[in-house]
Amino acid sequence: MKKLLWFLLGIVGGFVAAHFLNKDPRGHELLASIDARIEEFADRMTDAYHEEDARRGPSDTEAA
């Protein structure tokens, strides 16, 4: 139970820190840069998934 409390406090602390960081123009730029990197990574993973899915062809579950 103690570990769960520390975990939740860490999450809340991270949100509070990000909120204050976003108020500063330099912090806002930093968070926007991180967001762009995450978005690019997610797009690449999505493209790779769709390429692999197309390469494998239709599965038995999709045909039914």
Side-chain angles (χ1 to χ4, degrees), residues 23-46:
K23 286 184 177 182
D24 182 42
R26 291 178 295 165
H28 185 74
E29 288 178 21
L30 175 68
L31 291 177
S33 171
I34 292 170
D35 186 48
R37 290 181 192 176
I38 291 171
E39 185 72 28
E40 181 183 354
F41 175 76
D43 289 343
R44 287 185 182 186
M45 292 299 291
T46 301

Side-chain angles (χ1 to χ4, degrees), residues 59-64:
S59 67
D60 294 335
T61 57
E62 291 177 0

